[in-house]
Amino acid sequence: MDLKLKGLRVFVAGSSRGIGLGMVKAFLREGCIVVANGRDSNSLRQSLLGLENCFGVVGDVTDPIQARESVNSAVKLLGGIDILICNVGSGSSVSPGKETHEDWVEMLSVNFLSATNIVEAAKDELKKSKGVVVCISSICGSEVIPGAPVTYSVAKAALNAYIRGMSRPFALDRVRINGIAPGNILFDGSVWDKKSESDPAIVAELLEENVPLKKFGTTEDVSNLALWLSSPVSSFVTGTVYTTDGGQTRC
């Protein structure tokens, strides 16, 4: 299927590694021009080595000022933005029941406000291009996942509500916004990569008991869905959060 993405201008926030870097490579394969973003200049530069039609913009988009500066830099490089991927996030927080005010602030900043900051900064450009926003959420925002940090789950639930709520006002300008809620995604350096090395038996048991497909997802599983959501092929789709988790969630 031709996704009709060739030549489109893409900004991927949070793309030095993992799912975000997978997104960058996926859009490049479709013939897009891509700006990747990360907080650390060395990490970002190393990740993008050898990639053509790709630029790096350093900035911490949890800060609204840096988010706007990052968008402005991307617009200068690309001439505009057709597709915005909001991928900044982290599930590293305290165990359920041990939350402090600082933990709540940190998790909301990283997993929710990072997206609202970058969308707000790019909104005018997206209106010009009648563009698309795809936010990376988590199954933790959809239902209670035993052991998952509540701070993280709440922040992702807020992101899901934002996606659904903003789809209507954005639609007035023909801008679409959707989300993807991944389950357990394996990539080099990920939490699951480390756990698989340290205790493979426990990981195998977790997959057997909780994931009907009995395997991890890959960055390609997420990227392929993002490509479709970003494409004119899905032009009637907005305000929806799509789950890709091997059947783990039950809602």
Side-chain angles (χ1 to χ4, degrees):
M1 178 185 292
D2 179 9
L3 293 175
K4 301 178 173 36
L5 289 168
K6 187 174 182 178
L8 294 185
R9 303 159 298 180
V10 186
F11 182 85
V12 185
S15 47
S16 295
R17 60 191 290 269
I19 291 174
L21 184 57
M23 296 275 193
V24 169
K25 294 177 179 179
F27 280 104
L28 289 174
R29 286 194 295 269
E30 292 295 321
C32 298
I33 306 168
V34 181
V35 165
N37 156 261
R39 294 179 298 176
D40 182 79
S41 58
N42 290 330
S43 177
L44 186 62
R45 183 173 61 252
Q46 288 296 318
S47 297
L48 303 184
L49 284 175
L51 299 181
E52 297 182 359
N53 295 321
C54 184
F55 308 91
V57 168
V58 178
D60 182 356
V61 300
T62 65
D63 176 355
I65 295 175
Q66 291 191 51
R68 185 159 297 279
E69 290 173 347
S70 297
V71 166
N72 290 343
S73 296
V75 171
K76 288 179 182 178
L77 289 165
L78 300 175
I81 297 174
D82 300 300
I83 299 165
L84 176 65
I85 307 295
C86 304
N87 179 62
V88 175
S90 172
S92 298
S93 188
V94 296
S95 301
K98 297 186 177 181
E99 302 82 8
T100 66
H101 174 74
E102 289 73 20
D103 296 321
W104 288 110
V105 170
E106 180 183 1
M107 283 291 99
L108 286 167
S109 177
V110 172
N111 293 292
F112 175 56
L113 296 178
S114 61
T116 63
N117 287 343
I118 203 74
V119 171
E120 179 63 26
K123 184 168 60 177
D124 290 342
E125 292 298 326
L126 291 166
K127 288 179 180 178
K128 291 177 187 177
S129 63
K130 295 180 173 56
V132 180
V133 180
V134 178
C135 298
I136 307 304
S137 183
S138 168
I139 58 172
C140 295
S142 304
E143 67 176 41
V144 175
I145 304 298
V150 178
T151 49
Y152 176 68
S153 301
V154 168
K156 289 303 190 182
L159 180 60
N160 293 349
Y162 173 77
I163 291 164
R164 296 182 181 108
M166 293 303 293
S167 65
R168 288 178 177 268
F170 281 174
L172 298 176
D173 293 296
R174 299 297 184 265
V175 174
R176 298 190 295 117
I177 179 170
N178 290 289
I180 300 174
N184 304 313
I185 306 299
L186 181 66
F187 56 86
D188 288 343
S190 68
V191 170
W192 290 114
D193 184 34
K194 296 172 183 176
K195 287 183 178 180
S196 295
E197 289 185 1
S198 63
D199 202 336
I202 290 295
V203 170
E205 182 180 351
L206 180 144
L207 293 175
E208 179 70 27
E209 293 182 356
N210 294 286
V211 183
L213 289 182
K214 305 186 189 313
K215 66 175 185 175
F216 287 111
T218 67
T219 59
E220 287 79 10
D221 291 322
V222 183
S223 297
N224 288 338
L225 185 50
L227 291 175
W228 181 75
L229 288 172
S230 302
S231 165
V233 172
S234 65
S235 63
F236 199 51
V237 178
T238 194
T240 303
V241 179
Y242 286 81
T243 301
T244 175
D245 69 348
Q248 181 174 355
T249 54
R250 293 165 175 79
C251 61

